[in-house]
Amino acid sequence: MDKNTVTGFILIVLIMAGSYFLLRPSDAQLKKEQLLQDSIKRAAILKASTPVKSDTAKKAAVVTAAADSALAKIPFGVATVGTEKFITLENKELRVKLSTKGGRVYSVELKNYQTFDKKPLILFDGDNNHFGLVFRAQDKAISTTDLYFTPSTQNLTVAEKDSGAVTMRLNYSATQYIDYVYSLKGTGFKVGLNIKPTGLDNVIANSGTLNLNWAASLHKQEKDMKQERQYSTIWYLNTDNDDSHLSGDEQKDINDKKLSWVSFKQHFFSSILIAKQGFSKSSLATSTDTSDHSDIKQMRASLSLARNVDGSAPMEFYFGPNRFKTLKAEGNDLQKNVDMGWGPLQYINRIAVLPVFNFLDKFGLNYGIIILALTIILKLVLSPLTYKSYLSMAKMRVLKPEMDEIKGKVGDDNPTLLQQEYLKLYKKAGVNPLGGCLPLLIQMPIVIAFFRFFPSLFELRGQSFLWMHDLSTYDSVISFAPIFGVDHISLMCLLMTISTLIYTYFNNQISGATGQMKYIGYITPIIFLVTLNSYPSGLNYYYFLANMLTFAQQYIIRLMVDDKKIHAQIQENKKKPEDPKKKKSGFQARMEEMMRQQQQLPAKKGK
């Protein structure tokens, strides 16, 4: 801009600023203006109180009546208009808030529990949660989720009134309606729900069954969202008493069998819908919004519900912890909602491990002490196998000089012949080369069973021991910016890894392992460090204790086992003549057959 333009711009600004300060009204003028506005308001109020208002009100009433008449011609049309209100049912364990919009459970709070950061534990709430019937009435699609119900306590039976209950009524006409009757006893985690359609058989198409849509966005309750999402899914039980669940985010339709209940299962808490007549058709789905850091998963269920002879459809909700004994006490085999592992693992945990844990729990000990006692009991039970494994490895260690001598004579270029010579040596010495492995293999299912037991153990939630503030989640001693998805180091996992490396070192000394076998054992603990870093500190604590007790066992066994006596016994065995009647072991027979086949291969190739 040139000089004149700049000068003009500055003058305009000065004039505007001067006008603002010079022309603004005084305080007296502002007060006078306020008095004028108040007079206008009083005049409007006086006008509203004249008979003309009555005429206006009459006209408005006529318009409203006409609108209601128009809505009445639409199926459930009057229920499309309303104001959402809330009614609370409450007992010692639950605070359940019901909404007149949809007549649904709006939110559930577990009064005796808190989230990991000490906030009230609310399973779900808000408009992302839906529960309602879907049907066709007069060829129009109806979803009760969008309609307004009328709450009442006048239409309850004596038993329902005694338990604390409320009826949410969806009106079609004065004599035609749908009732949702909710009931809550003084204690417990169950909320009763009985759906009672009345006089609607000629209105609702296919009224023999009720189609129900249930959806919930479940809130984050635990410290580690990744782990909580891993253990959260839809679990269900069919009427053949077989339980199953969705794997990851998927949709599954179940039409061949009835379901007894469907569970929106979180890691340590669940919302379970139980149908006394069963769900004849079911469509289940889960999804995860990874950008959402407040809700772990979104779950949906479309269910076909059979009705009783009187037309009602009784159900129950369970809102509570995934504690095995609590679920079992509630009936309906709800304890199957707790994942104790697949196949034989669940039987090991349910029949053997859990009863011992519950027995120890009766003494009121700290759960760190209970895990220690449980580990000691397990090690004592398995000590015969441990002893047999150690003895077998000691025999192999004593035989190693003779095996090295055979290897020097045969060489490395003929592995088939070398194995044959080894087998002859084993047979003469009376040694089973797999004797050290078989006891360990027998113990493996128990070790894996504990891998499923501790992450599913509700009792560890929020329980501290030593520096571990919560045995149900990881104990981070160092936190840092995420590297390949890892943002912390668990101290107990680190101690477990170090103890496993030490155990591997001493185990190699006992077994006399060489070559690649000597170093393979060191890879597994490193894998565990990465894999188990975010697992419950209670699980890593158990593995650490198991290693420590194994050290103690091996030290005691080592005092009991004399290598010189073993060597002398082997030499005695070698002097004994071979018994032709003695049946070969399955291992020996298979190995000899394999050797024969390998020897025949070069001959066939030469032809």
Side-chain angles (χ1 to χ4, degrees):
M1 294 186 292
D2 58 17
K3 183 178 180 180
N4 292 333
T5 304
V6 173
T7 303
F9 178 76
I10 294 172
L11 289 174
I12 290 171
V13 172
L14 292 174
I15 291 171
M16 292 176 64
S19 299
Y20 173 77
F21 288 103
L22 294 174
L23 299 178
R24 67 177 180 175
S26 63
D27 292 340
Q29 289 174 321
L30 289 173
K31 188 175 182 180
K32 185 177 180 180
E33 179 66 22
Q34 183 63 44
L35 291 173
L36 178 61
Q37 294 295 329
D38 291 343
S39 299
I40 293 173
K41 287 181 179 179
R42 284 194 293 271
I45 294 172
L46 181 64
K47 184 178 180 182
S49 63
T50 61
V52 177
K53 175 62 182 174
S54 299
D55 295 338
T56 304
K58 289 179 180 179
K59 291 179 181 179
V62 171
V63 172
T64 302
D68 289 343
S69 178
L71 289 173
K73 296 178 181 179
I74 303 172
F76 297 96
V78 176
T80 59
V81 180
T83 303
E84 186 173 24
K85 298 178 182 179
F86 298 100
I87 299 93
T88 301
L89 292 176
E90 190 170 353
N91 67 4
K92 292 181 180 180
E93 282 77 30
L94 300 177
R95 184 176 289 112
V96 181
K97 186 183 289 186
L98 306 176
S99 171
T100 57
K101 185 177 182 181
R104 74 190 195 281
V105 176
Y106 180 84
S107 69
V108 175
E109 177 184 349
L110 301 183
K111 297 165 64 175
N112 299 323
Y113 300 98
Q114 293 180 321
T115 63
F116 76 99
D117 51 358
K118 307 304 179 184
K119 294 180 180 178
L121 199 150
I122 299 173
L123 294 180
F124 58 85
D125 64 359
D127 294 331
N128 290 330
N129 307 283
H130 305 285
F131 183 90
L133 302 176
V134 289
F135 51 84
R136 298 195 68 81
Q138 298 180 7
D139 293 328
K140 182 177 177 60
I142 303 294
S143 173
T144 61
T145 302
D146 303 322
L147 304 179
Y148 289 90
F149 287 62
T150 303
S152 173
T153 57
Q154 298 178 358
N155 306 303
L156 300 173
T157 65
V158 175
E160 289 168 343
K161 287 182 180 178
D162 290 342
S163 67
V166 64
T167 296
M168 304 291 262
R169 175 165 291 183
L170 179 64
N171 288 302
Y172 181 81
S173 69
T175 58
Q176 297 170 295
Y177 48 82
I178 299 174
D179 282 345
Y180 288 2
V181 182
Y182 292 95
S183 58
L184 180 64
K185 296 181 180 179
T187 58
F189 297 98
K190 280 186 176 179
V191 178
L193 170 59
N194 195 0
I195 300 179
K196 301 178 179 179
T198 301
L200 294 172
D201 290 345
N202 296 327
V203 177
I204 299 176
N206 191 26
S207 58
T209 59
L210 299 176
N211 294 319
L212 182 65
N213 280 349
W214 181 28
S217 187
L218 305 180
H219 295 334
K220 179 177 182 288
Q221 315 292 354
E222 312 306 327
K223 178 180 179 179
D224 189 349
M225 174 168 276
K226 182 178 179 181
Q227 286 289 318
E228 189 173 7
R229 281 174 169 163
Q230 178 182 337
Y231 290 106
S232 299
T233 186
I234 293 182
W235 212 274
Y236 56 89
L237 181 77
N238 63 35
T239 50
D240 292 337
N241 214 34
D242 297 325
D243 62 290
S244 188
H245 62 279
L246 301 190
S247 301
D249 290 346
E250 65 167 327
Q251 179 174 340
K252 187 173 184 179
D253 296 330
I254 305 170
N255 300 320
D256 55 337
K257 291 184 179 180
K258 280 189 175 183
L259 301 186
S260 299
W261 50 257
V262 174
S263 171
F264 288 178
K265 179 182 181 295
Q266 295 179 244
H267 190 176
F268 288 121
F269 300 93
S270 287
S271 304
I272 307 176
L273 182 59
I274 309 159
K276 296 184 178 180
Q277 300 298 325
F279 301 112
S280 57
K281 293 182 180 180
S282 308
S283 179
L284 313 175
T286 63
S287 60
T288 305
D289 183 359
T290 54
S291 64
D292 188 349
H293 299 290
S294 59
D295 289 350
I296 55 168
K297 276 195 177 182
Q298 292 70 45
M299 302 187 179
R300 303 182 305 278
S302 297
L303 309 165
S304 293
L305 183 64
R307 298 167 62 183
N308 286 336
V309 178
D310 62 357
S312 64
M315 293 177 285
E316 287 181 311
F317 282 107
Y318 171 88
F319 300 117
N322 293 332
R323 184 192 286 113
F324 191 90
K325 59 184 178 182
T326 300
L327 289 165
K328 189 174 183 179
E330 294 287 353
N332 302 105
D333 284 321
L334 295 185
Q335 73 274 8
K336 292 191 174 183
N337 189 56
V338 179
D339 184 8
M340 287 289 183
W342 49 268
L345 303 183
Q346 61 179 316
Y347 299 108
I348 293 173
N349 284 327
R350 291 180 181 178
I351 297 173
V353 181
L354 190 61
V356 176
F357 181 89
N358 289 336
F359 172 76
L360 296 171
D361 195 16
K362 293 179 181 179
F363 294 97
L365 302 172
N366 181 280
Y367 282 101
I369 303 300
I370 291 176
I371 294 174
L372 172 60
L374 185 66
T375 310
I376 292 173
I377 293 172
L378 176 65
K379 284 296 180 181
L380 289 175
V381 171
L382 297 177
S383 57
L385 292 176
T386 305
Y387 176 79
K388 188 174 181 180
S389 176
Y390 184 93
L391 188 61
S392 180
M393 287 190 291
K395 290 179 180 179
M396 293 296 294
R397 183 177 67 251
V398 170
L399 275 180
K400 190 173 185 307
E402 297 184 45
M403 295 173 66
D404 290 341
E405 185 179 346
I406 292 173
K407 187 176 182 181
K409 292 179 180 179
V410 176
D412 294 331
D413 56 345
N414 194 343
T416 302
L417 180 60
L418 183 62
Q419 290 298 324
Q420 284 181 332
E421 294 300 320
Y422 281 167
L423 286 175
K424 291 178 182 178
L425 177 63
Y426 297 151
K427 189 175 181 180
K428 289 181 180 180
V431 174
N432 184 355
L434 296 180
C437 300
L438 290 176
L440 295 176
L441 290 175
I442 295 172
Q443 296 180 50
M444 281 303 294
I446 299 175
V447 175
I448 299 174
F450 273 84
F451 184 79
R452 294 301 314 164
F453 178 75
F454 283 107
S456 299
L457 195 60
F458 179 86
E459 284 81 353
L460 298 185
R461 186 180 186 271
Q463 300 296 323
S464 61
F465 181 67
L466 299 177
W467 66 87
M468 297 169 284
H469 299 297
D470 188 346
L471 290 169
S472 70
T473 187
Y474 60 83
D475 56 313
S476 55
V477 64
I478 300 175
S479 298
F480 44 82
I483 302 175
F484 300 110
V486 179
D487 59 359
H488 69 276
I489 293 178
S490 168
L491 178 56
M492 185 50 73
C493 183
L494 186 61
L495 292 175
M496 181 274 297
T497 303
I498 294 172
S499 67
T500 306
L501 289 170
I502 296 172
Y503 168 74
T504 302
Y505 171 78
F506 283 107
N507 200 50
N508 286 341
Q509 300 300 312
I510 296 171
S511 63
T514 58
Q516 292 182 347
M517 293 301 297
K518 183 177 181 179
Y519 299 102
I520 287 176
Y522 294 109
I523 299 175
T524 305
I526 304 302
I527 295 174
F528 281 169
L529 176 62
V530 177
T531 304
L532 300 179
N533 187 53
S534 294
Y535 271 72
S537 55
L539 176 65
N540 286 314
Y541 172 56
Y542 158 72
Y543 285 142
F544 172 76
L545 289 175
N547 287 339
M548 294 295 101
L549 292 174
T550 301
F551 292 154
Q553 278 185 324
Q554 289 189 351
Y555 177 76
I556 295 171
I557 294 172
R558 195 164 189 172
L559 295 177
M560 299 167 57
V561 176
D562 187 346
D563 285 5
K564 292 181 180 179
K565 290 183 179 181
I566 293 175
H567 184 267
Q569 182 63 49
I570 287 175
Q571 298 308 315
E572 287 294 324
N573 292 339
K574 290 167 65 176
K575 293 177 182 179
K576 294 178 181 179
E578 184 178 351
D579 185 1
K581 296 181 180 179
K582 186 178 179 180
K583 187 178 180 181
K584 296 180 181 179
S585 68
F587 170 76
Q588 289 177 326
R590 285 192 294 271
M591 287 295 294
E592 290 180 3
E593 178 63 26
M594 185 177 68
M595 297 303 173
R596 281 195 295 269
Q597 291 178 0
Q598 288 181 348
Q599 284 181 329
Q600 292 173 1
L601 286 176
K604 290 181 178 179
K605 288 181 180 179
K607 293 180 180 179

